[in-house]
Structure formats: structure tokens, C-alpha cells
Amino acid sequence: MSTYLSVTCIPTRVSVIGAGHVGSTLAQRIAEKNLADVILLDVEAGRPKGIALDLMEARGLEGHDRQIIGTDDYRDTANSNIVVITAGLPRRPGMTRDDLLRTNAQIVIETTQKAIAHSPDAVLVIITNPLDVMTYLAWKVSGFPSYRVMGMAGILDSSRFQTFIAMELGVSTADVHAMVLGGHGDLMVPLPRFSTVSGIPITELMDPDTIHRLVERTRNGGAEIVNLMQTGGAYFAPASSAYTMVESILCNQSRLLPVASYLSGEYGLNDIFMGVPAFLSCRGIERVLELDLKDEERDALHQSAQAIRHTLDDALKMMP
Ligand code: TXD
């Protein structure tokens, strides 16, 4: 009889809370790129279970052996390395902005509390809108150190800017690097000076009017897709953006990515989550990078912060 070495195999686990468009597409990306096992959770068990089974049945064709579990039971999410919160409601007819804020705030608070009870050492990645405010609430209720909580938006906004630059110049997206900071809203701050084609700032490749047009299209990137689709919003690029964060954390890549990070003095801002460049490693946010901004760029960032602060104050007032 042969003797087998007794080893404990602990698979890498990512829990995705909310099995809607973004959540299910993210689950697919994580499993099919063979990055980690995925637990997909939603309020009702049927949808996540069905999606998980569907993804499992594609494993042979996609060439991986990752486990995908669908559930409505937080116990199944235990010991996740990363918890991604995508749970939330879209705005419905007759619903005010405040109604949506209150509803999503309650959902994010509840799902964060339940998820971290079973994964106290996880890194939290928030996706639910309004993004910067929801990330703050999740951090507050989690009691986690701020480097273990972050929000996804800047990568998506930068990816949109990158696409528009590549389309305008007719060059490969691979050669374009774009940087968008600030909140995930109308006042986000695309930075042309820090956006390049093979290292050349776009300010040397395009006239100011063209850049302005691309900046405006980036700011309206989400709305452009909602208007085209009529029901629902973007989810492929958002899922790819979240995947990029998850990969950088799990693989300890230390990629420099714009993410909603907690600021305590950086850029002259305090006690707020907002999109800034940060290094993502297995610990979470390794370090926020402070760019040397021009006065007008800094002013734009502060204006964006003011808008987040305003919504955050409203959200905090609504909380019990
Ligand atoms: O850049 C970004 N951060 C964003 C944010 C880009 C795209 C989408 N963005 C926001 O993510 C969007 O405005 C929403 O707030 C979330 C999720 O978007 P998605 O398109 O995936 O929404 P869906 O398809 O409506 O899915 C939401 C799911 C749905 O299956 C609900 O049943 C579930 O969330 N849900 C819950 N799951 C668990 N627990 C609770 N309480 C719950 N409530 C709703």
C-alpha cells in the first residue's frame, strides 16, 4: 500500500455577493481565468444556484476545475480571501435618488456585516452605487482597517477613457494608459496629462477640443450605455475592472490602479473614500500614490470630494 503525504489544501475563495449582471459576469471571469473558486450569493437561492450550475457545466469546455457555488446562505462563503459586494437595486420608476441611496445603503450594510462574520480576514471590494459612499459605509460597519476595504470605479472609468483615446487615434488599446481619479460620478477627474500612448502624454497627440470631447464622453460613459440598453446598465467592463482588482490582490501583483481608497491627508482630503492611484497587493491597498497635481486638477478633485461628502452626509443621516 502506498503512503500518501497528508497535506491540507486550502483553495483560494472569492465570494461575490449579488448574482446580478455584474456579479455573475465577475464569477465567470474569476472561474474561467482559473483564478479562484467562487461563491455566488443572492437573496434568493435559485438564481445563484442556476448560474453556478451553468458555469460548472462549462468547465470542461473552458478548461478549468474551479468550484462555483451558488447560495443564499452566508455560511457557504466562510473563509473567503476576498468578498466583492455587488448587491443593490437599480433605480426604479417613481424612486427618488434618496430612496435608492437609503435602499442600497441598507443592502450594503447588511450584506457586508453578514459576509465578514464568516470571513473576518477578507479584503472587501465594493461595487454597488453610489460607489464612493457605499465603500465608506462598508468600511464603517466592517471595522476593518482601511487598507482592507476599497471600491471599484476608477479602473472602469480609466478603461473607458483608454478605449475612447485608442478609437480616436486609431491605435492599439494595449499602448494606451489612461488615468481617471475622483468619485464615480459626473465630477470624476480624467487626467489627460497622466494619460499616454506608449509613454507620450495625449496632450501632445490631440488638440484640446478633442481631449475635452473624450473627457466628456468618459464622464457620461455609464449613462451612454444605460441610454442605449434602456433596461439595466453596463456590466462586462465593470466585471473586467473588478476582476483586475481581485487578480492584483490574490496574485500579489502590486499593480498601480485607480481605486476608491480611504484618504487620511493624501491630496489634502480626510475621512473619505475616493478614486486615487493605489498599489494593490495581497494585503489590500499597499499604498496610495500622491500625484503632483496642477491647481486646476486638484480643485477638480476637491469638487468631486465635496459631492461625495454631501451624499455621504445624507446616507449617514438615514442610518439608524
Ligand atoms: O463602477 C461601478 N462601481 C459600477 C457600479 C458599474 C456597474 C454597476 N454598478 C452598480 O453595481 C449598480 O449601480 C448596482 O448598484 C450594482 C450591481 O449592478 P448589476 O447590474 O449587477 O445589478 P443587478 O443585475 O440588478 O444585480 C443586483 C443583484 C440582484 O441579483 C439582486 O437580487 C441582488 O443584487 N441583491 C441582493 N443580494 C444579496 N443580498 C441582498 N440584500 C440583495 N439585495 C439585492
Side-chain angles (χ1 to χ4, degrees), residues 217-244:
R217 192 171 178 191
T218 302
R219 288 203 176 110
N220 296 318
E224 185 177 358
I225 290 179
V226 169
N227 289 337
L228 287 167
M229 290 172 62
Q230 293 293 313
T231 52
Y235 56 97
F236 289 116
S240 300
S241 306
Y243 174 86
T244 302

mmCIF file of all heavy atoms in Angstrom, residues 217-244:
data_model
loop_
_atom_site.group_PDB
_atom_site.id
_atom_site.type_symbol
_atom_site.label_atom_id
_atom_site.label_comp_id
_atom_site.label_asym_id
_atom_site.label_seq_id
_atom_site.Cartn_x
_atom_site.Cartn_y
_atom_site.Cartn_z
ATOM 1 N N ARG A 217 -17.130 62.351 -22.824
ATOM 2 C CA ARG A 217 -17.710 61.034 -23.133
ATOM 3 C C ARG A 217 -17.392 60.043 -21.999
ATOM 4 O O ARG A 217 -18.229 59.223 -21.641
ATOM 5 C CB ARG A 217 -17.162 60.517 -24.474
ATOM 6 C CG ARG A 217 -17.939 59.329 -24.953
ATOM 7 C CD ARG A 217 -17.600 58.884 -26.352
ATOM 8 N NE ARG A 217 -18.394 57.693 -26.670
ATOM 9 C CZ ARG A 217 -18.185 56.929 -27.727
ATOM 10 N NH1 ARG A 217 -17.225 57.242 -28.591
ATOM 11 N NH2 ARG A 217 -18.934 55.858 -27.937
ATOM 12 N N THR A 218 -16.199 60.169 -21.431
ATOM 13 C CA THR A 218 -15.820 59.298 -20.306
ATOM 14 C C THR A 218 -16.720 59.579 -19.112
ATOM 15 O O THR A 218 -17.227 58.655 -18.472
ATOM 16 C CB THR A 218 -14.341 59.546 -19.926
ATOM 17 O OG1 THR A 218 -13.533 59.289 -21.085
ATOM 18 C CG2 THR A 218 -13.895 58.657 -18.780
ATOM 19 N N ARG A 219 -16.916 60.876 -18.813
ATOM 20 C CA ARG A 219 -17.767 61.238 -17.667
ATOM 21 C C ARG A 219 -19.180 60.681 -17.824
ATOM 22 O O ARG A 219 -19.835 60.342 -16.854
ATOM 23 C CB ARG A 219 -17.842 62.764 -17.526
ATOM 24 C CG ARG A 219 -16.554 63.367 -17.024
ATOM 25 C CD ARG A 219 -16.818 64.723 -16.371
ATOM 26 N NE ARG A 219 -15.595 65.240 -15.802
ATOM 27 C CZ ARG A 219 -14.925 66.290 -16.273
ATOM 28 N NH1 ARG A 219 -15.379 66.947 -17.324
ATOM 29 N NH2 ARG A 219 -13.817 66.682 -15.691
ATOM 30 N N ASN A 220 -19.649 60.625 -19.091
ATOM 31 C CA ASN A 220 -21.009 60.128 -19.341
ATOM 32 C C ASN A 220 -21.007 58.672 -19.775
ATOM 33 O O ASN A 220 -22.007 58.180 -20.316
ATOM 34 C CB ASN A 220 -21.673 60.973 -20.445
ATOM 35 C CG ASN A 220 -21.856 62.406 -19.993
ATOM 36 O OD1 ASN A 220 -22.247 62.642 -18.852
ATOM 37 N ND2 ASN A 220 -21.549 63.356 -20.856
ATOM 38 N N GLY A 221 -19.904 57.983 -19.545
ATOM 39 C CA GLY A 221 -19.740 56.609 -20.049
ATOM 40 C C GLY A 221 -20.834 55.663 -19.585
ATOM 41 O O GLY A 221 -21.363 54.867 -20.377
ATOM 42 N N GLY A 222 -21.196 55.749 -18.300
ATOM 43 C CA GLY A 222 -22.237 54.864 -17.762
ATOM 44 C C GLY A 222 -23.585 55.193 -18.366
ATOM 45 O O GLY A 222 -24.316 54.307 -18.823
ATOM 46 N N ALA A 223 -23.908 56.497 -18.405
ATOM 47 C CA ALA A 223 -25.212 56.949 -18.915
ATOM 48 C C ALA A 223 -25.362 56.604 -20.395
ATOM 49 O O ALA A 223 -26.456 56.231 -20.848
ATOM 50 C CB ALA A 223 -25.354 58.450 -18.702
ATOM 51 N N GLU A 224 -24.270 56.699 -21.162
ATOM 52 C CA GLU A 224 -24.340 56.389 -22.601
ATOM 53 C C GLU A 224 -24.828 54.951 -22.801
ATOM 54 O O GLU A 224 -25.673 54.682 -23.656
ATOM 55 C CB GLU A 224 -22.956 56.587 -23.247
ATOM 56 C CG GLU A 224 -22.992 56.400 -24.756
ATOM 57 C CD GLU A 224 -21.646 56.654 -25.445
ATOM 58 O OE1 GLU A 224 -20.662 57.010 -24.765
ATOM 59 O OE2 GLU A 224 -21.592 56.466 -26.677
ATOM 60 N N ILE A 225 -24.326 54.049 -21.965
ATOM 61 C CA ILE A 225 -24.714 52.636 -22.098
ATOM 62 C C ILE A 225 -26.145 52.415 -21.603
ATOM 63 O O ILE A 225 -26.928 51.713 -22.238
ATOM 64 C CB ILE A 225 -23.679 51.736 -21.381
ATOM 65 C CG1 ILE A 225 -22.377 51.777 -22.186
ATOM 66 C CG2 ILE A 225 -24.194 50.295 -21.251
ATOM 67 C CD1 ILE A 225 -21.244 50.979 -21.635
ATOM 68 N N VAL A 226 -26.501 53.057 -20.478
ATOM 69 C CA VAL A 226 -27.878 52.933 -19.971
ATOM 70 C C VAL A 226 -28.861 53.418 -21.038
ATOM 71 O O VAL A 226 -29.882 52.772 -21.304
ATOM 72 C CB VAL A 226 -28.059 53.738 -18.661
ATOM 73 C CG1 VAL A 226 -29.541 53.827 -18.276
ATOM 74 C CG2 VAL A 226 -27.273 53.105 -17.522
ATOM 75 N N ASN A 227 -28.548 54.541 -21.685
ATOM 76 C CA ASN A 227 -29.451 55.081 -22.704
ATOM 77 C C ASN A 227 -29.595 54.142 -23.899
ATOM 78 O O ASN A 227 -30.663 54.026 -24.484
ATOM 79 C CB ASN A 227 -28.957 56.451 -23.194
ATOM 80 C CG ASN A 227 -29.151 57.507 -22.120
ATOM 81 O OD1 ASN A 227 -30.000 57.341 -21.231
ATOM 82 N ND2 ASN A 227 -28.368 58.568 -22.165
ATOM 83 N N LEU A 228 -28.509 53.454 -24.240
ATOM 84 C CA LEU A 228 -28.588 52.514 -25.365
ATOM 85 C C LEU A 228 -29.369 51.265 -24.980
ATOM 86 O O LEU A 228 -30.201 50.779 -25.741
ATOM 87 C CB LEU A 228 -27.168 52.105 -25.809
ATOM 88 C CG LEU A 228 -26.373 53.175 -26.566
ATOM 89 C CD1 LEU A 228 -24.904 52.787 -26.657
ATOM 90 C CD2 LEU A 228 -26.956 53.379 -27.960
ATOM 91 N N MET A 229 -29.117 50.758 -23.760
ATOM 92 C CA MET A 229 -29.728 49.484 -23.363
ATOM 93 C C MET A 229 -31.159 49.654 -22.867
ATOM 94 O O MET A 229 -31.924 48.706 -22.873
ATOM 95 C CB MET A 229 -28.870 48.817 -22.270
ATOM 96 C CG MET A 229 -27.541 48.306 -22.818
ATOM 97 S SD MET A 229 -26.413 47.713 -21.543
ATOM 98 C CE MET A 229 -27.311 46.372 -20.830
ATOM 99 N N GLN A 230 -31.472 50.867 -22.385
ATOM 100 C CA GLN A 230 -32.810 51.170 -21.834
ATOM 101 C C GLN A 230 -33.106 50.444 -20.526
ATOM 102 O O GLN A 230 -33.559 51.048 -19.577
ATOM 103 C CB GLN A 230 -33.918 50.883 -22.863
ATOM 104 C CG GLN A 230 -33.881 51.813 -24.072
ATOM 105 C CD GLN A 230 -34.213 53.264 -23.722
ATOM 106 O OE1 GLN A 230 -35.181 53.521 -23.030
ATOM 107 N NE2 GLN A 230 -33.392 54.189 -24.186
ATOM 108 N N THR A 231 -32.907 49.124 -20.473
ATOM 109 C CA THR A 231 -33.117 48.438 -19.181
ATOM 110 C C THR A 231 -31.756 47.942 -18.700
ATOM 111 O O THR A 231 -31.097 47.164 -19.374
ATOM 112 C CB THR A 231 -34.061 47.230 -19.314
ATOM 113 O OG1 THR A 231 -33.570 46.406 -20.361
ATOM 114 C CG2 THR A 231 -35.491 47.647 -19.578
ATOM 115 N N GLY A 232 -31.341 48.413 -17.523
ATOM 116 C CA GLY A 232 -30.061 47.970 -16.956
ATOM 117 C C GLY A 232 -28.897 48.787 -17.487
ATOM 118 O O GLY A 232 -29.067 49.655 -18.356
ATOM 119 N N GLY A 233 -27.734 48.523 -16.945
ATOM 120 C CA GLY A 233 -26.546 49.286 -17.321
ATOM 121 C C GLY A 233 -25.405 48.369 -17.708
ATOM 122 O O GLY A 233 -25.591 47.166 -17.928
ATOM 123 N N ALA A 234 -24.208 48.968 -17.749
ATOM 124 C CA ALA A 234 -23.012 48.234 -18.169
ATOM 125 C C ALA A 234 -22.667 47.136 -17.175
ATOM 126 O O ALA A 234 -22.878 47.301 -15.975
ATOM 127 C CB ALA A 234 -21.844 49.217 -18.247
ATOM 128 N N TYR A 235 -22.173 46.013 -17.678
ATOM 129 C CA TYR A 235 -21.669 45.001 -16.753
ATOM 130 C C TYR A 235 -20.446 44.240 -17.240
ATOM 131 O O TYR A 235 -19.705 43.697 -16.439
ATOM 132 C CB TYR A 235 -22.768 44.019 -16.319
ATOM 133 C CG TYR A 235 -23.492 43.297 -17.432
ATOM 134 C CD1 TYR A 235 -23.104 42.014 -17.811
ATOM 135 C CD2 TYR A 235 -24.570 43.881 -18.077
ATOM 136 C CE1 TYR A 235 -23.783 41.328 -18.815
ATOM 137 C CE2 TYR A 235 -25.253 43.208 -19.083
ATOM 138 C CZ TYR A 235 -24.857 41.931 -19.448
ATOM 139 O OH TYR A 235 -25.534 41.276 -20.446
ATOM 140 N N PHE A 236 -20.179 44.218 -18.532
ATOM 141 C CA PHE A 236 -18.977 43.497 -18.994
ATOM 142 C C PHE A 236 -17.709 44.220 -18.526
ATOM 143 O O PHE A 236 -16.842 43.623 -17.875
ATOM 144 C CB PHE A 236 -18.963 43.354 -20.516
ATOM 145 C CG PHE A 236 -19.987 42.385 -21.037
ATOM 146 C CD1 PHE A 236 -21.012 42.805 -21.852
ATOM 147 C CD2 PHE A 236 -19.926 41.036 -20.701
ATOM 148 C CE1 PHE A 236 -21.963 41.910 -22.338
ATOM 149 C CE2 PHE A 236 -20.861 40.126 -21.169
ATOM 150 C CZ PHE A 236 -21.894 40.572 -21.996
ATOM 151 N N ALA A 237 -17.589 45.504 -18.871
ATOM 152 C CA ALA A 237 -16.386 46.247 -18.454
ATOM 153 C C ALA A 237 -16.316 46.413 -16.932
ATOM 154 O O ALA A 237 -15.226 46.305 -16.354
ATOM 155 C CB ALA A 237 -16.320 47.606 -19.173
ATOM 156 N N PRO A 238 -17.465 46.630 -16.238
ATOM 157 C CA PRO A 238 -17.376 46.651 -14.771
ATOM 158 C C PRO A 238 -16.853 45.331 -14.192
ATOM 159 O O PRO A 238 -16.034 45.332 -13.273
ATOM 160 C CB PRO A 238 -18.829 46.902 -14.339
ATOM 161 C CG PRO A 238 -19.430 47.660 -15.475
ATOM 162 C CD PRO A 238 -18.793 47.104 -16.712
ATOM 163 N N ALA A 239 -17.312 44.203 -14.743
ATOM 164 C CA ALA A 239 -16.833 42.909 -14.237
ATOM 165 C C ALA A 239 -15.340 42.744 -14.531
ATOM 166 O O ALA A 239 -14.578 42.259 -13.682
ATOM 167 C CB ALA A 239 -17.629 41.768 -14.868
ATOM 168 N N SER A 240 -14.892 43.170 -15.711
ATOM 169 C CA SER A 240 -13.451 43.084 -16.037
ATOM 170 C C SER A 240 -12.640 43.956 -15.089
ATOM 171 O O SER A 240 -11.524 43.592 -14.683
ATOM 172 C CB SER A 240 -13.190 43.548 -17.477
ATOM 173 O OG SER A 240 -13.902 42.736 -18.374
ATOM 174 N N SER A 241 -13.186 45.116 -14.744
ATOM 175 C CA SER A 241 -12.475 46.036 -13.838
ATOM 176 C C SER A 241 -12.339 45.410 -12.455
ATOM 177 O O SER A 241 -11.264 45.445 -11.843
ATOM 178 C CB SER A 241 -13.237 47.356 -13.714
ATOM 179 O OG SER A 241 -13.473 47.908 -14.986
ATOM 180 N N ALA A 242 -13.439 44.808 -11.972
ATOM 181 C CA ALA A 242 -13.383 44.163 -10.655
ATOM 182 C C ALA A 242 -12.436 42.973 -10.697
ATOM 183 O O ALA A 242 -11.675 42.737 -9.747
ATOM 184 C CB ALA A 242 -14.783 43.721 -10.232
ATOM 185 N N TYR A 243 -12.439 42.248 -11.800
ATOM 186 C CA TYR A 243 -11.530 41.102 -11.941
ATOM 187 C C TYR A 243 -10.070 41.574 -11.809
ATOM 188 O O TYR A 243 -9.252 40.942 -11.134
ATOM 189 C CB TYR A 243 -11.728 40.389 -13.294
ATOM 190 C CG TYR A 243 -10.692 39.311 -13.478
ATOM 191 C CD1 TYR A 243 -10.901 38.033 -12.968
ATOM 192 C CD2 TYR A 243 -9.466 39.585 -14.090
ATOM 193 C CE1 TYR A 243 -9.917 37.054 -13.062
ATOM 194 C CE2 TYR A 243 -8.482 38.620 -14.197
ATOM 195 C CZ TYR A 243 -8.720 37.353 -13.682
ATOM 196 O OH TYR A 243 -7.736 36.398 -13.763
ATOM 197 N N THR A 244 -9.759 42.673 -12.427
ATOM 198 C CA THR A 244 -8.383 43.198 -12.400
ATOM 199 C C THR A 244 -7.942 43.478 -10.964
ATOM 200 O O THR A 244 -6.803 43.178 -10.582
ATOM 201 C CB THR A 244 -8.306 44.492 -13.249
ATOM 202 O OG1 THR A 244 -8.738 44.177 -14.569
ATOM 203 C CG2 THR A 244 -6.914 45.069 -13.299
#
